[in-house]
Amino acid sequence: MEIYVYTSKAIWKRGREGTIKCGCGAELDFSLPLEFGGKAGVMTAEDAFVASINMSFATTFFSYAEKEKIDLIEFECDTNGILDRTAPKTMFKRLVIHPKITVGKYEDVEKVSKIVELSQKYSNICNSVKGKVVVEFKVDVQEKK
Amino acid sequence: MEIYVYTSKAIWKRGREGTIKCGCGAELDFSLPLEFGGKAGVMTAEDAFVASINMSFATTFFSYAEKEKIDLIEFECDTNGILDRTAPKTMFKRLVIHPKITVGKYEDVEKVSKIVELSQKYSNICNSVKGKVVVEFKVDVQEKK
């Protein structure tokens, strides 16, 4: 077994607000989302959950891109999480990952398609969520002059 | 159906590092965890995932505590995520939530026990993860003089 432990500490500040300290060193304020009576502009559990899927897909992609020596020019990825709060069970039903990738060589396009597939398959977080994860990607080529 | 959408955008910076912008307004740098060849001190997908469970449990608790007029003095919550990277499927197998709650009145102790149970049951994120979620809590009373 290959086991890793990740930790965090949440501390209440006031009302529906707190501070969270992650094991990695990142520290930030959080609250309930605005639509559930929280404060605007700070992190929420719902945003962090969707962001964790996005970051996991992205970093897994970055690792494979490095390994496969992809000439990566740009990588942008929008991830949307659809939260269903229909009683009694509230949960994220669907997570849609939309990576847009620009590479410098035509021969990288096929490799990128393969890497997108592997990144979803081996993402620690994509494998840890109940909702359906869907990836819809786009690759562009921008050859250097 | 009661549906909410949460969004995020990840942008590649270099190597295994990027920046993430969440719909709530929070923006931060991220990388692979140090143990998988990333950079120290910035957010990681794994830390954000565990933090999202912590924040969701905490904010659900804060809402109930407000509703039930609990005389809350302190709330601290450590959450640990056990990631099993045994091939071929890598995932968070177990999430352990350890809230420590201090209230100002003895009569709040029973209410707090009930609220802890409800907070796990109605947390958007606890309901969205595959791994087993366990809550082990402690309540202290600190009466005002």
Side-chain angles (χ1 to χ4, degrees), chain A residues 84-134:
Chain A
D84 184 350
R85 295 252 301 172
T86 310
K89 200 90 174 174
T90 71
M91 70 170 281
F92 275 95
K93 283 266 170 73
R94 192 176 166 90
L95 289 312
V96 190
I97 304 174
H98 292 280
K100 282 192 302 179
I101 300 138
T102 308
V103 293
K105 290 178 301 194
Y106 276 100
E107 51 266 47
D108 281 345
V109 173
E110 205 185 316
K111 280 192 202 168
V112 163
S113 310
K114 184 70 190 155
I115 289 178
V116 164
E117 203 183 294
L118 290 172
S119 300
Q120 181 182 1
K121 193 171 172 191
Y122 293 108
S123 150
N124 292 334
I125 313 300
C126 291
N127 288 333
S128 301
V129 304
K130 271 188 198 157
K132 187 172 171 61
V133 180
V134 178

Side-chain angles (χ1 to χ4, degrees), chain B residues 24-121:
Chain B
C24 60
E27 186 174 334
L28 46 166
D29 287 344
F30 69 94
S31 109
L32 271 178
L34 201 56
E35 55 273 29
F36 306 138
K39 188 184 166 184
V42 295
M43 189 52 94
T44 74
E46 288 73 9
D47 283 87
F49 181 73
V50 173
S52 75
I53 293 159
N54 201 344
M55 290 187 276
S56 182
F57 177 84
T59 51
T60 310
F61 181 92
F62 301 160
S63 296
Y64 280 115
E66 231 178 51
K67 201 171 143 194
E68 295 294 329
K69 299 186 173 55
I70 299 291
D71 181 11
L72 190 60
I73 294 180
E74 256 184 9
F75 173 98
E76 269 199 23
C77 187
D78 289 315
T79 297
N80 304 316
I82 318 297
L83 175 68
D84 185 350
R85 294 253 300 172
T86 310
K89 200 88 176 174
T90 73
M91 70 169 281
F92 275 94
K93 283 266 172 71
R94 192 176 166 89
L95 288 311
V96 189
I97 304 174
H98 292 279
K100 280 193 302 180
I101 300 138
T102 308
V103 292
K105 289 178 302 191
Y106 276 99
E107 51 266 46
D108 281 346
V109 173
E110 204 185 317
K111 280 193 201 167
V112 163
S113 311
K114 185 67 191 158
I115 288 178
V116 165
E117 201 183 295
L118 290 172
S119 301
Q120 179 181 2
K121 192 169 173 192

Side-chain angles (χ1 to χ4, degrees), chain A residues 18-36:
Chain A
T19 301
I20 189 139
K21 296 179 187 183
C22 297
C24 61
E27 187 174 332
L28 46 165
D29 286 344
F30 69 94
S31 107
L32 272 178
L34 201 57
E35 54 273 31
F36 306 137

Side-chain angles (χ1 to χ4, degrees), chain A residues 66-84:
Chain A
E66 231 179 51
K67 201 172 144 194
E68 295 295 329
K69 297 185 174 55
I70 300 292
D71 182 10
L72 190 61
I73 294 179
E74 257 184 8
F75 173 99
E76 269 199 22
C77 187
D78 289 315
T79 297
N80 305 316
I82 318 297
L83 175 68
D84 184 350

